[in-house]
Amino acid sequence: MNNLTGIVLSGGRSSRMGSDKSFIQFHGTQQYLHAASLLSNVCDEVYISCNSTNAHAFGNQNNLIIDLECYAQSGPMGGVLSSFETLGEKNLFVLGCDYPFLETADLHKLQMQFINTKNCVAYYSADHNLYEPVIAIYPHTLYARMKQRYEQGNRSLQQFLQKVTADKVAMEPPDKFSSIDTPGMRDEAIKKIKP
């Protein structure tokens, strides 16, 4: 399936939510499992990226990638670099665990763009001039550049996407790309998904 490996990013602190966002149930199953299911439709294999603190909560799954010690507490870029170094020469389709409104068709758009260009590709908001760095495909050919930026102290995936001029796919409609970060947002999302 075009040598794409899915990575569900589940290693965040969830500080604003007050509990781990990976385990919220919007669709009758824990959100990290829902995200993994979406990725399985466009990727050859899917892994869960987590940190050493929350790894135990996922049980004895054999598809966990725990942040390497050198990338601990460094945000999504640490999860992406840990995945690159754990898996070898894979193109990573990264999906944050906290986007309950996304559907397979949304991921398929990124997949098709990657097939056409083999370039880094991410959803993009023209209104804010910003990429969505945790709904994106990072080809292995960019691993060395990302690692170099990390070692120089540049740990923003947003800035990395800008630097490499990643392909842009428009967020349409924008509401589908809402990250659910607080209890209030969670409750509203549950109402929308389960009227």
Side-chain angles (χ1 to χ4, degrees):
M1 209 180 291
N2 310 301
N3 192 28
L4 283 174
T5 297
I7 304 293
V8 179
L9 290 177
S10 300
R13 297 179 183 175
S14 302
S15 54
R16 285 182 287 172
M17 183 65 71
S19 60
D20 197 325
K21 293 185 287 186
S22 305
F23 301 100
I24 297 171
Q25 295 193 24
F26 296 103
H27 301 275
T29 187
Q30 294 166 324
Q31 183 57 25
Y32 83 94
L33 291 172
H34 178 72
S37 177
L38 292 179
L39 283 169
S40 70
N41 294 313
V42 293
C43 296
D44 299 315
E45 53 190 352
V46 179
Y47 293 84
I48 310 301
S49 168
C50 61
N51 60 54
S52 59
T53 303
N54 71 348
H56 71 279
F58 294 93
N60 295 319
Q61 299 185 61
N62 59 8
N63 66 335
L64 288 185
I65 297 177
I66 301 172
D67 288 347
L68 300 176
E69 188 175 343
C70 58
Y71 301 125
Q73 305 297 322
S74 56
M77 186 179 280
V80 176
L81 285 169
S82 293
S83 298
F84 273 136
E85 294 184 16
T86 300
L87 297 173
E89 296 186 7
K90 302 285 188 178
N91 301 312
L92 304 183
F93 196 138
V94 169
L95 177 59
C97 68
D98 49 354
Y99 293 86
F101 299 116
L102 292 180
E103 300 173 350
T104 299
D106 303 306
L107 305 189
H108 186 64
K109 289 179 183 178
L110 292 187
Q111 177 196 32
M112 295 308 297
Q113 180 67 20
F114 175 74
I115 290 171
N116 290 332
T117 68
K118 301 301 186 214
N119 191 28
C120 190
V121 56
Y123 271 102
Y124 179 81
S125 170
D127 291 342
H128 299 97
N129 190 31
L130 291 173
Y131 288 98
E132 182 42 80
V134 295
I135 313 174
I137 296 175
Y138 296 90
H140 188 268
T141 52
L142 292 178
Y143 158 69
R145 289 183 68 181
M146 184 183 291
K147 184 175 178 66
Q148 181 182 46
R149 285 182 64 81
Y150 181 91
E151 290 173 345
Q152 292 170 345
N154 300 314
R155 298 178 180 179
S156 166
L157 284 178
Q158 178 68 235
Q159 293 176 13
F160 180 76
L161 291 169
Q162 300 276 359
K163 186 73 174 176
V164 301
T165 319
D167 291 348
K168 301 170 182 176
V169 176
M171 294 182 183
E172 295 176 352
D175 290 350
K176 291 188 76 174
F177 300 87
S178 296
S179 170
I180 306 305
D181 299 320
T182 67
M185 294 173 73
R186 175 198 60 205
D187 295 344
E188 285 300 313
I190 289 172
K191 289 178 185 177
K192 288 180 182 179
I193 293 169
K194 301 176 182 177

